[in-house]
């Protein structure tokens, strides 16, 4: 929506009406002027009017740095990067640490890119445990080696009887991470269909378990990582544009160790 609006100099809203991840034959998007949409586009209007991540972080920092009125210490360690999990001293890593510390103050998704062995998972955990969700679950999903159906069950969960042989309901990763963080390791290994599940959650804030008739609202922060080049993957089509732009709200590129 934002990119089309920028190109046309008019307020255009684009919404997905059909999605392969939901069982449709194809993904279909509809673009119309803001005034032509009804209440169904209200969440898009809210998203487009949101302040930037940097502005949100600055406002939060100003609020936590304001003089205390209840005698509490101003030297709280909350919302700071967990240095026990991620240690960096080189000058090349200082921008990474600074960016990650700001992420601790935000609720926005985070996209971490870097070569194997640079500490992407450690940085993701540091952001989680350095923020307000530190007492809540940190759930990690390895996106490599699982077929789409297995991943779909693992992410969404299912109702009793919805899966052959399922004698009881199963809470998927989204529900297990409720209140905390869901970390996708090597997110670009996911198929377009499974990527669509993540996009829909970021857009709606809820998931629909397999076999359920209603969506379940959840409070989960998404952090994703890749060892590839997200920009090249987006251009080649292996990374959905919707997921790229949803995650790249806050992107951290970790420099190589060499």
């Amino acid at each position: 929506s934002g990119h089309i609006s920028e190109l046309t100099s008019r307020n255009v809203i684009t919404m997905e009406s059909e999605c392969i991840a939901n069982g449709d034959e194809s993904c279909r998007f509809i673009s119309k002027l803001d005034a032509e949409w009804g209440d169904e586009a209200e969440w898009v209007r809210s998203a487009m009017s949101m302040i930037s991540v940097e502005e949100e972080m600055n406002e939060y920092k100003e609020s936590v740095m304001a003089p205390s009125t209840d005698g509490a210490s101003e030297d709280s360690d909350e919302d700071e990067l967990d240095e026990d999990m991620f240690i960096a001293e080189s000058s090349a890593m200082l921008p990474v640490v600074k960016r990650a510390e700001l992420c601790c103050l935000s609720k926005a998704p985070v996209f971490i890119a870097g070569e194997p062995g640079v500490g992407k998972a450690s940085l993701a955990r540091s952001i989680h445990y350095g923020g307000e969700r530190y007492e809540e679950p940190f759930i990690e999903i390895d996106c490599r080696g699982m077929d789409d159906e297995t991943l779909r069950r693992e992410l969404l969960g299912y109702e009793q009887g919805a899966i052959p042989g399922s004698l009881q309901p199963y809470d998927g990763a989204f529900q297990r991470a409720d209140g905390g963080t869901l970390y996708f390791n090597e997110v670009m290994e996911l198929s377009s269909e499974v990527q669509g599940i993540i996009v829909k959650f970021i857009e709606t804030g809820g998931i629909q378990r397999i076999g359920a008739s209603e969506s379940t609202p959840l409070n989960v922060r998404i952090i994703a990582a890749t060892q590839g080049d997200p920009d090249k993957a987006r251009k080649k089509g292996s990374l959905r544009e919707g997921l790229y732009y949803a995650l790249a709200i806050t992107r951290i590129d970790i420099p190589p160790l060499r």
Side-chain angles (χ1 to χ4, degrees), residues 17-79:
S17 59
E18 298 178 6
C19 181
I20 294 176
N22 294 332
D24 299 318
E25 294 184 356
S26 62
C27 294
R28 182 169 180 262
F29 296 85
I30 300 175
S31 295
K32 295 191 291 188
L33 293 174
D34 185 353
E36 297 175 342
W37 287 102
D39 294 339
E40 70 275 15
E42 191 58 39
W43 71 270
V44 183
R45 297 187 183 101
S46 299
M48 292 177 69
S49 63
M50 290 175 61
I51 63 175
S52 68
V53 174
E54 284 75 12
E55 290 174 317
E56 177 189 351
M57 292 174 177
N58 287 335
E59 288 185 2
Y60 188 90
K61 288 172 68 177
E62 290 176 2
S63 68
V64 299
M65 293 176 66
S68 174
T69 57
D70 58 3
S73 171
E74 297 179 6
D75 297 325
S76 172
D77 290 332
E78 293 182 4
D79 300 321

Side-chain angles (χ1 to χ4, degrees), residues 42-210:
E42 191 58 39
W43 71 270
V44 183
R45 297 187 183 101
S46 299
M48 292 177 69
S49 63
M50 290 175 61
I51 63 175
S52 68
V53 174
E54 284 75 12
E55 290 174 317
E56 177 189 351
M57 292 174 177
N58 287 335
E59 288 185 2
Y60 188 90
K61 288 172 68 177
E62 290 176 2
S63 68
V64 299
M65 293 176 66
S68 174
T69 57
D70 58 3
S73 171
E74 297 179 6
D75 297 325
S76 172
D77 290 332
E78 293 182 4
D79 300 321
E80 293 182 359
L81 191 67
D82 192 328
E83 296 180 354
D84 291 334
M85 295 187 177
F86 191 81
I87 301 173
E89 297 181 354
S90 71
S91 58
M93 289 297 297
L94 292 180
V96 172
V97 174
K98 180 64 175 178
R99 187 73 168 168
E101 287 177 340
L102 292 175
C103 289
C104 293
L105 307 177
S106 173
K107 300 177 182 179
V110 180
F111 201 2
I112 304 173
E115 294 181 354
V118 296
K120 296 185 292 293
S122 296
L123 183 59
R125 293 189 185 93
S126 297
I127 292 171
H128 169 77
Y129 290 106
E132 61 181 18
R133 299 173 184 263
Y134 69 97
E135 292 184 323
E136 303 299 336
F138 179 90
I139 304 296
E140 180 174 349
I141 294 292
D142 190 338
C143 304
R144 299 165 293 187
M146 283 193 283
D147 61 82
D148 283 4
E149 186 57 33
T150 301
L151 276 166
R152 185 166 172 263
R153 295 177 185 179
E154 175 59 25
L155 292 175
L156 299 177
Y158 46 83
E159 299 293 337
Q160 180 177 347
I163 301 296
S166 59
L167 302 179
Q168 57 186 8
Y170 175 72
D171 288 341
F174 278 106
Q175 284 189 285
R176 299 198 305 273
D178 191 22
T181 299
L182 184 54
Y183 171 64
F184 290 91
N185 180 36
E186 296 304 332
V187 67
M188 295 199 312
E189 294 293 322
L190 297 175
S191 68
S192 178
E193 291 79 7
V194 178
Q195 289 179 29
I197 294 175
I198 306 174
V199 174
K200 185 172 184 181
F201 172 77
I202 293 175
E203 290 177 345
T204 65
I207 58 101
Q208 186 167 338
R209 287 159 62 119
I210 299 172

